[in-house]
Structure formats: structure tokens, C-alpha cells
Amino acid sequence: MPERGSTVQPSTVLGRQLGDELRRFREAAGLSTAVVAEALDCTKAKISRIENGRVPVRLPDLMALLHTYEVTDGKVLERLGKLARSANRRRKEGWWNQYGPVLADTYRDYIALEAVSDSIRTFQCQLVPGLLQTPAYVRAVTVASKAWQTPDEIEQFVEVRVARQERLTAAEPLTVWAVMTEGVLHQQVGGPEAMRAQLDHLVAMSELPNVTVQILPFSRGAHGGMFGPYLLLSFPQVSAMDVVLTENPTGHIWMERDPEVGHYRELFDNARTSALSPAESVDRIKRIAKEHRA
């Protein structure tokens, strides 16, 4: 989960996400950059920079491009408009904007990208995924990170994490497929009582039709996910590309190139096929929850 700092500017990822979609629409319309540049009365270089995510896309330019490509789907127009505003760091409509300096720009942009995604696949080897954490668990992790100093900052961050989880039960819910190692279930984050409540919460969340939870047991031995946690975000538009976020102790790295994303898709597929089935995973969680009651 991106919180403080990043090794790659997330706004660039958002810009490239938008630029890639615009390029796909242009190619689908059978238009060259020269033709589009003439229609918009600009240079070919500007169109290329937009498609590479190197320059912000003003909303008038975005609408002109989509009009040129004969894109009329209202949902597509609305989604790309939101993506453009996020990429340009104009997030006035985002609920997360009210939390001010408590959220680093990295985390703001992650939330903006998560807000327009429709599914997330995540592998975690140390923590319960953020979207499935209880407030007490979030609070314990936040205190341990020492990134926030005052009780007010900590509570505001907890509020943000809980607010993100509302998408799991929204009218059009976010789909989450989480694979985590068995060690996550044994790590007593917040103490036995908080951990017991967290495991009970995992069981309850796994009953949602849009949430899949799997446990990779110790007995599986070495596996590809041992090198760190990651998230794969997908989007409702067929032309949209997936993006990957990896985490490490000093920052976070966004990846979007097909070979890199493809590698993480394979990693996740290997993890889910090596893990216990969802039903077996729930049984394992319940068994370990009993240990925390002892």
C-alpha cells in the first residue's frame, strides 16, 4: 500500500494510463498522429507526448480527441475525464482530498487509480491486504510504521483506509482476489484480541461474492511471492492496461509495460493455484483464529 514516498512518480502512471487509452482509440479509428494533430491544430509531437503520458491532458483537449475518435459512450467519457483530472492532480472531487497532508501524493494517486479500477489481485506475505483490514489492525500497523506522529494523524489514516473499503459493498462493487501466506495469519498485529477480530473479519469478507481469499500454507515451501507483496489493478474498459504496484521498505514501484505486468500475472496465477482453495482457506483461517483465542 503506497503511503510515504515512491521510486516512480504515480502521476506518470496515471498519465500513461490515459495516454495509452487515447492511443488505442486513435488506432481503432484508423487515424495517424499527423491527422489528429491537424484536427486539433497542434503538433504531432504534442499528440505523441500525450500518448506517452509526458504532458498533462487538459479536459478540452481530451474531449476534442475523443470527439475526433468518435467516442460517444457516456461512461467512457466520464471515466477518462476523472482519470485526466487525477493525472493532472486536480482531485477536488475526490473524497480523499479532505485529509490534506495526512496522505502523501503517492497514496492520493493510488486511491485515485483504485477508484477507477474494477478489480484488484493482490499477494501479501506479511500483512492482511488493506481493503480487508479491521480498524484496529490498521491502527496497529500505522502506529508501528512511525510515519504518522500524532494520534489525530493516525486516526485520520485509519478513516481513509476504512473509507476505501466501502467499495467492496457498493452498488457496483470492486472485485478483490487476495492471496496471502499463512504467516500473515500468525503475526499478532495489535495483539491476540485484535488479531482474532481480524481473522473473523477475513472470514466474513470472504463470504462476499466479489471477494476471494486464499491462503498459501507453509507446507508449499519456496514460491515466487517470497520476494515481496504486489497489487495488480485492472479496469473496466477493454482497452485499458493493467498496472502493477510492488512494495519494499524504502518505497514503491509502478509497472505498466506488458512484459512486466505479464510476469506478475503469472506470479499471481502460480500463487493462487499453489494456495489452498477458498473453502480450505476459510477453514485454515478459522482454525488459526481459535489459536488466538487460547
Side-chain angles (χ1 to χ4, degrees), residues 119-123 175-179 210-214 268 272 278:
S119 71
I120 293 177
R121 286 162 286 176
T122 180
F123 178 86
T175 297
V176 174
W177 193 331
V179 178
N210 53 304
V211 175
T212 300
V213 174
Q214 287 185 265
F268 186 80
R272 68 177 180 80

Side-chain angles (χ1 to χ4, degrees), residues 46-108:
K46 178 177 179 178
I47 302 301
S48 295
R49 287 195 294 271
I50 287 175
E51 293 183 355
N52 290 329
R54 294 178 180 174
V55 296
V57 183
R58 298 185 306 113
L59 290 181
D61 286 342
L62 175 63
M63 293 302 109
L65 286 168
L66 295 175
H67 176 75
T68 301
Y69 304 151
E70 298 184 353
V71 177
T72 58
D73 187 313
K75 290 185 178 179
V76 173
L77 297 175
E78 180 182 2
R79 185 174 62 80
L80 293 184
K82 288 181 179 179
L83 187 55
R85 285 189 291 271
S86 296
N88 297 341
R89 296 187 177 275
R90 293 197 292 266
R91 301 177 295 251
K92 294 181 180 179
E93 297 179 1
W95 58 263
W96 51 90
N97 194 56
Q98 64 183 294
Y99 290 93
V102 173
L103 304 181
D105 285 343
T106 307
Y107 195 23
R108 289 172 182 270

Side-chain angles (χ1 to χ4, degrees), residues 6 17 28 88 170 172 197 227:
S6 175
Q17 174 76 32
N88 297 341
E172 295 183 3
F227 300 100

Side-chain angles (χ1 to χ4, degrees), residues 4 85 158 168 233 236:
R4 299 280 184 173
R85 285 189 291 271
V158 173
L168 297 178
L233 289 83

